[in-house]
Amino acid sequence: MPEKMGSLTSSFLKQNNTLFFRIFMILFLSCVPDRANLCSNLSLATTTVQNHSTSSNIDFSFRKLTLDGYLSFDNIHHAAKDFGNTYHLHPLAVLYPKSVFDISSTIKHIFHMGSASQLTVAARGHGHSLQGQAQADQGVVVNMMSLREPVMQVHTDGSPYVDVSGGELWVEVLKETLKHGLTPKSWTDYLHLTVGGTLSNAGISGQAFLHGPQINNVYQLEVVTGKGDVVTCSEKQNADLFYGVLGGLGQFGIITRARISLKPAPKMVKWIRVLYSEFSKFSKDQEHLISLENSFDYIEGFVIINRTGILNKWRSFFNPKDPLGASQFNWDGKIYYCLEMAKYFNPEDTNIMNEKTESLLSKLSFIPSTRFQTDVSYFNFLERVHMSDKKLRKGVWDVAHPWLNLLIPKSKISDFAREVFGKIIKDSSNGLILIYPVNKWKWNMNTSFVAPNEDIFYLVGFLTSAVPASTGTDGLEYIITRNQRILDFCTRANLGTKQYLPHYSTQKEWQAHFGPKWELFVQRKYAYDPLAILAPGQRIFQKSIPFL
C-alpha cells in the first residue's frame, strides 16, 4: 500500500466508516501515476489545461452569468505576476466582483461543471504572494480589491470591532478606526495587504508576542466555500470552517468579510533601535522582554552583515542617545544584531512612558553607544514600511523576491544562528534579515496555522531581492540555492522548523508541514471544497476525479 496514504489508511482500516473511506480515496488517487491527482507537484508556467475550443465554450458559458461586477478575458496578464516574480501562471479570466454574490455565482458555476472541468479559482489581493499562491493557471482570478461589500463599519459599544470587506487594505482599516480613537491589536509590518490575504496566512509582526497574530483577533468571518456557499462563521457558529479558514491558505473558502476586534488607539510611539555584537545577549534580551507583563508594545530584530553604514542611514530619522559615542562606534567587520522596540503612549503620559522605557532598557545588554530613538505618530509608525515600498515600485518591485520565512523553536535558535549567520549568509546588503520571538501561548492553535512544538519560537525572515541577470551572490539562482542550503541544514539538524508563508512542491512535504493537523486539513478540504477548486497556487491539492 503506498506510503502517501499515511495515517488515514490506518484510521480507515480501524474505523471502516464512510468519511474515512472518502479521505482514503483522496489520498489513494493522489498516488495513481499519470493522473491529475490531488496532491502533486504543479508545473510553473508551461501547463496547458484546456485547448482553444474548450476555452471558447467556457468563455461563452461565463458570459451568460448575471453579475453585479464583471469578468474580464482581455488584458489580464497582470494576474500572472506577483511580488515574488518567479511564477507566472496565466488565468483564463479575472473576476472583478462588486458583491459577494459575484464570487458565489462564479464558484457555483464552476462547481456545477463538475470534475470534467479543470477550472480553478484563486483570490488575489494586492499581489504580494511570493510563489504564485494567488495565481490560477487557465482558471479564474478574483480581484478582491474590487469587492467593496460590506461598507466598513466601526462599532464602538461594548467590545469594539470593525466589520470590513475581505478585499480591504489594512491601512484603510487603520485610517477608519482611528477616526473613532480605536485600532486593531495585531498587525503585519506592511499594511498595504488585504484583510482576507493576511487572515488566510496568519498576519505576524512585532505585536504578535503580546496579542498573537491577526488570526487571533477575529470575531467572525463571512466565507464563500469551494461549493459557492456563503457561510457566516465564528467560534460559536460553523466553528470548524472558522478555524479552518484562519491560516488555511485559502483552501476552504474565500474570506469576503471579517469582524476584527479593536482596542483604544494611542497617539504616539517611542521607536528605539539598539545593537548587539553577541547573538546570545541579543536573543536573551528579546526573550526577557516578551516574558514581561508590562513590556514594550512592539519587539522585532534584524541581523546586520557587512552593512557598515547602517547607523549613518538611521541618523536621518533617529536621534542617537549618545552622539559622541555613536560617532566613534567601530564596526570592525562583525555581525551585529539590532533590537527594535516601540512603546505606545499619549502626549499627556510622556513622562510616565519615558520612565517605564528607561527602566526596561536598563535591564538590557546592548552596546550603549548604539542606542537610537525617535518619537513618531502611531499611524506613521505602522506605515513605516510603506515609504520603502514606494521606492521598490520605482524599480526593485519588478525584480524577483525569493523570500524565505521560517519559524524556529527557541531551543534551536542558537544552533540556527551559528550555522546560518556564521557560515551560510555572507552578506545581507541585498535584503533584510528579520528575527524575533513570539509567545505560542498567545496563539489559538485551533486554527489551520502550524507552529513549532515549543512555547516560544522565532520568526526568521530572509527578505532578499535578486538583481536581474546577475550570476553572482545577488542573483536569483544563487539566492534560491542559498535558501535551500538553509532548509537542508534545518532538516539535517532536526531543528523542528516550520515555514511561514509555506511553499512546497510535493504532497509528502505538505503532509510533514501540517503534521498531526494533516488529517483534519484533508477532511476540511473534502467538506468545503470537494472538487479542489480553490487556491490552486498553493500546490497542496489539484483538481481531479470527484470525491466519492
Side-chain angles (χ1 to χ4, degrees):
M1 193 163 290
E3 182 180 348
K4 290 184 179 179
M5 296 178 194
S7 61
L8 291 180
T9 303
S10 175
S11 297
F12 164 70
L13 293 175
K14 291 179 180 179
Q15 299 183 28
N16 194 26
N17 59 40
T18 303
L19 177 60
F20 278 94
F21 176 71
R22 288 168 172 167
I23 299 169
F24 166 80
M25 288 306 297
I26 294 169
L27 297 185
F28 174 80
L29 291 172
S30 74
C31 303
V32 178
D34 302 320
R35 299 293 293 271
N37 54 52
L38 238 116
C39 307
S40 65
N41 182 13
L42 297 178
S43 60
L44 301 186
T46 59
T47 301
T48 301
V49 178
Q50 305 183 30
N51 60 37
H52 177 74
S53 175
T54 303
S55 296
S56 297
N57 292 336
I58 291 173
D59 288 0
F60 180 75
S61 70
F62 273 127
R63 293 181 196 279
K64 294 191 297 182
L65 285 176
T66 300
L67 302 171
D68 297 319
Y70 65 96
L71 274 160
S72 176
F73 297 88
D74 303 311
N75 299 320
I76 57 176
H77 59 278
H78 65 278
K81 185 177 181 180
D82 58 22
F83 183 70
N85 206 19
T86 55
Y87 286 79
H88 303 286
L89 307 175
H90 291 265
L92 176 71
V94 174
L95 172 65
Y96 294 86
K98 286 188 176 179
S99 65
V100 175
F101 169 82
D102 290 347
I103 300 174
S104 173
S105 296
T106 302
I107 294 177
K108 279 185 178 179
H109 183 75
I110 296 173
F111 182 75
H112 289 151
M113 289 179 176
S115 60
S117 165
Q118 291 297 311
L119 283 173
T120 55
V121 176
R124 175 187 172 91
H126 212 193
H128 274 258
S129 298
L130 296 175
Q131 286 108 0
Q133 287 94 337
Q135 297 176 28
D137 189 20
Q138 290 299 298
V140 178
V141 171
V142 182
N143 186 323
M144 294 299 295
M145 292 184 63
S146 72
L147 179 67
R148 286 294 177 262
E149 203 180 72
V151 175
M152 200 185 318
Q153 293 185 330
V154 178
H155 299 260
T156 59
D157 296 335
S159 298
Y161 63 85
V162 57
D163 278 327
V164 60
S165 162
E168 191 62 83
L169 296 178
W170 281 103
V171 67
E172 299 302 325
V173 177
L174 177 62
K175 290 177 182 177
E176 187 63 27
T177 58
L178 285 179
K179 294 177 184 177
H180 302 268
L182 297 167
T183 176
K185 302 171 185 176
S186 194
W187 296 98
T188 57
D189 287 327
Y190 183 61
L191 303 191
H192 293 251
L193 305 172
T194 58
V195 169
T198 65
L199 295 183
S200 295
N201 289 280
I204 305 176
S205 184
Q207 304 88 2
F209 80 95
L210 184 61
H211 298 292
Q214 290 181 318
I215 58 175
N216 262 49
N217 297 280
V218 182
Y219 290 143
Q220 189 181 87
L221 298 172
E222 178 186 76
V223 174
V224 180
T225 71
K227 300 176 184 179
D229 298 331
V230 181
V231 182
T232 298
C233 55
S234 66
E235 290 183 345
K236 297 181 180 180
Q237 179 184 9
N238 300 307
D240 184 65
L241 180 60
F242 179 74
Y243 289 128
V245 167
L246 292 173
L249 307 178
Q251 292 302 304
F252 316 121
I254 295 175
I255 298 172
T256 52
R257 179 178 61 82
R259 179 168 292 179
I260 309 297
S261 64
L262 304 175
K263 68 169 186 173
K267 291 183 172 61
M268 297 295 295
V269 175
K270 180 170 286 294
W271 185 8
I272 304 169
R273 285 176 175 172
V274 297
L275 292 182
Y276 295 75
S277 60
E278 296 179 37
F279 182 79
S280 59
K281 292 182 178 180
F282 168 72
S283 59
K284 181 181 179 180
D285 280 358
Q286 281 192 319
E287 291 166 14
H288 165 70
L289 288 175
I290 70 168
S291 70
L292 299 177
E293 185 174 342
N294 188 10
S295 184
F296 289 98
D297 298 288
Y298 161 98
I299 298 170
E300 287 196 8
F302 50 92
V303 184
I304 303 169
I305 304 174
N306 292 334
R307 297 180 68 179
T308 56
I310 194 70
L311 288 188
N312 290 330
K313 293 179 181 178
W314 291 351
R315 288 177 192 277
S316 62
F317 197 63
F318 289 81
N319 300 311
K321 182 70 173 178
D322 175 10
L324 179 61
S327 65
Q328 295 176 344
F329 178 75
N330 181 13
W331 285 86
D332 59 29
K334 291 183 179 180
I335 298 175
Y336 286 90
Y337 306 93
C338 174
L339 175 57
E340 185 174 50
M341 301 155 285
K343 191 69 176 174
Y344 302 159
F345 68 101
N346 291 317
E348 61 270 23
D349 300 323
T350 299
N351 290 336
I352 296 174
M353 179 277 302
N354 283 334
E355 290 177 4
K356 180 61 180 176
T357 298
E358 292 303 321
S359 176
L360 288 169
L361 292 173
S362 68
K363 307 295 194 301
L364 306 183
S365 302
F366 58 87
I367 303 170
S369 62
T370 65
R371 176 177 167 182
F372 282 69
Q373 61 191 38
T374 186
D375 290 353
V376 296
S377 72
Y378 180 67
F379 180 86
N380 285 345
F381 173 72
L382 293 179
E383 268 279 74
R384 66 195 179 279
V385 179
H386 185 51
M387 294 308 298
S388 297
D389 179 64
K390 286 183 178 179
K391 295 177 181 179
L392 288 177
R393 290 179 184 273
K394 294 180 180 179
V396 182
W397 173 269
D398 294 320
V399 307
H401 298 94
W403 289 6
L404 176 64
N405 293 278
L406 301 175
L407 305 175
I408 313 292
K410 169 189 168 182
S411 65
K412 303 294 185 179
I413 194 62
S414 294
D415 296 339
F416 179 88
R418 189 179 305 110
E419 178 69 18
V420 176
F421 304 144
K423 299 178 182 179
I424 297 178
I425 303 291
K426 302 298 183 183
D427 194 335
S428 63
S429 61
N430 64 329
L432 186 66
I433 303 176
L434 286 175
I435 177 168
Y436 57 91
V438 295
N439 294 309
K440 187 176 179 179
W441 64 274
K442 294 283 188 176
W443 297 50
N444 188 332
M445 297 313 295
N446 290 320
T447 66
S448 291
F449 180 81
V450 291
N453 191 27
E454 287 190 10
D455 292 338
I456 294 176
F457 59 88
Y458 279 75
L459 183 140
V460 183
F462 301 91
L463 313 185
T464 312
S465 298
V467 176
S470 172
T471 58
T473 59
D474 54 3
L476 178 61
E477 184 176 351
Y478 180 89
I479 296 170
I480 290 176
T481 301
R482 187 185 68 189
N483 286 349
Q484 190 58 52
R485 285 184 63 195
I486 295 171
L487 291 171
D488 289 344
F489 164 71
C490 291
T491 301
R492 187 171 64 252
N494 196 27
L495 299 188
T497 302
K498 295 292 183 183
Q499 285 192 33
Y500 178 57
L501 308 176
H503 171 68
Y504 301 105
S505 58
T506 68
Q507 184 260 351
K508 183 178 180 181
E509 290 173 312
W510 278 112
Q511 187 171 353
H513 172 77
F514 284 105
K517 288 190 174 184
W518 175 245
E519 286 191 17
L520 180 58
F521 200 83
V522 175
Q523 288 179 38
R524 285 171 170 164
K525 187 67 172 179
Y526 167 75
Y528 304 113
D529 184 23
L531 293 184
I533 291 171
L534 300 177
Q538 295 285 2
R539 298 164 184 83
I540 305 174
F541 303 102
Q542 184 177 342
K543 202 169 181 183
S544 73
I545 308 170
F547 291 84
L548 301 178

